[in-house]
Amino acid sequence: MLNETTGTATGTTVDENEVAFFARIADSWWDPYGPFKPLHLLNPTRLQYIREQAVAHFGLDGTSLKPLAGLRLLDIGCGGGLISEPMARLGATVVSVDASEKNIRVASLHAEQSGLDIDFRNTTAEALAEAGEKFDLIINMEVVEHVADVEAYLAACRALTKEDGLMLMSTINRTAKAFLFAIVGAEYVLRWLPKGAHDWNKFLKPAELAKALKKAGYDAGAPTGFVFNPISQKWRLSETDTDVNYAMAAKA
């Protein structure tokens, strides 16, 4: 359902204030030095994680140029398409959704200019679930900390996941270190993100996310940390450091 005033797809878990916040800066999605600079820096590590997890779970050929060929993939909260486009290049059949109509317009235009066939939709996970859609692989990166109802949101995600399918999530830990780096550092000191981009109280600890995933019907794996090196300005995967950013694989 679309709120015609704000251009927001509404649903039980959509936080319209969060959607409106990011819609205001939607034109900057593909500017590597703009408000989404942190995501551009993080993207290679996110893509490495997604590729490794998908290849391992589905028994794919990791040496192939298109290892995700044959998989129907859903990118929830796709924003400007920073993950959707690489997933399409890796061979997946990609459906990308966002609650912001403006984000979808920006993402659709960029993908078209890049010669990529991606099905972008201004809708929600709940609406897709109600329509009976099913996917092999769901990408759920930096979304759960922005929804209004985590339990209902994950239930919708589970309904969308095929049996033996996989959902890959990433979010921010609710720690003092995360408050220092993800909010104070990123929003107020370095000004990588607009002030108010995150609410520390909506961050989830790995154990909390794993518990919520289990309740939704998933088998949650151990968290993997995304760790930033301020000197090299690069991210890396870590099996031990999940103090700030982390990812989690959830098997259906």
Side-chain angles (χ1 to χ4, degrees):
M1 181 176 179
L2 180 67
N3 181 320
E4 295 182 358
T5 302
T6 63
T8 300
T10 59
T12 58
T13 71
V14 172
D15 186 326
E16 291 196 35
N17 291 328
E18 294 269 7
V19 175
F21 179 91
F22 286 99
R24 288 196 294 271
I25 52 176
D27 291 332
S28 302
W29 272 108
W30 287 95
D31 179 0
Y33 304 103
F36 296 105
K37 178 180 178 179
L39 291 183
H40 283 272
L41 291 173
L42 177 58
N43 224 33
T45 302
R46 295 197 301 182
L47 297 176
Q48 176 190 349
Y49 177 79
I50 293 169
R51 181 171 181 150
E52 290 178 355
Q53 292 289 328
V55 165
H57 179 79
F58 294 105
L60 305 174
D61 180 4
T63 65
S64 170
L65 292 176
K66 294 185 180 294
L68 303 188
L71 295 183
R72 189 168 192 243
L73 182 151
L74 174 64
D75 183 9
I76 302 178
C78 66
L82 299 186
I83 289 180
S84 302
E85 291 196 10
M87 293 300 100
R89 290 190 175 95
L90 289 175
T93 299
V94 180
V95 176
S96 300
V97 302
D98 200 284
S100 166
E101 184 182 24
K102 188 173 183 181
N103 281 348
I104 290 298
R105 289 201 306 268
V106 170
S108 298
L109 178 60
H110 193 276
E112 182 181 350
Q113 293 172 339
S114 301
L116 296 171
D117 183 14
I118 299 173
D119 182 0
F120 286 104
R121 307 182 194 177
N122 177 210
T123 188
T124 64
E126 294 90 342
L128 289 178
E130 289 174 6
E133 298 266 13
K134 294 287 184 179
F135 300 87
D136 301 290
L137 177 59
I138 295 180
I139 306 300
N140 209 325
M141 298 282 164
E142 285 76 48
V143 175
V144 71
E145 69 269 24
H146 298 292
V147 302
D149 185 332
V150 172
E151 184 175 318
Y153 175 66
L154 293 179
C157 291
R158 180 61 185 88
L160 290 166
T161 312
K162 292 181 181 179
E163 292 305 315
D164 298 319
L166 182 68
M167 179 168 70
L168 300 175
M169 303 187 71
S170 67
T171 188
I172 304 174
N173 203 341
R174 196 176 67 256
T175 62
K177 185 176 178 181
F179 181 82
L180 178 63
F181 284 92
I183 295 182
V184 176
E187 296 182 18
Y188 290 86
V189 179
L190 297 174
R191 296 185 180 180
W192 278 354
L193 294 169
K195 294 177 183 178
H198 292 108
D199 179 351
W200 185 83
N201 294 301
K202 295 177 76 171
F203 293 168
L204 293 171
K205 293 179 177 292
E208 294 170 342
L209 180 57
K211 182 179 180 180
L213 285 167
K214 183 178 181 179
K215 185 173 183 179
Y218 286 105
D219 179 13
T224 298
F226 290 165
V227 181
F228 183 65
N229 184 323
I231 297 175
S232 66
Q233 295 281 292
K234 292 184 178 179
W235 293 79
R236 64 177 175 84
L237 298 177
S238 172
E239 297 303 319
T240 57
D241 187 352
T242 60
D243 289 348
V244 183
N245 297 78
Y246 70 94
M248 189 173 288
K251 300 177 182 179

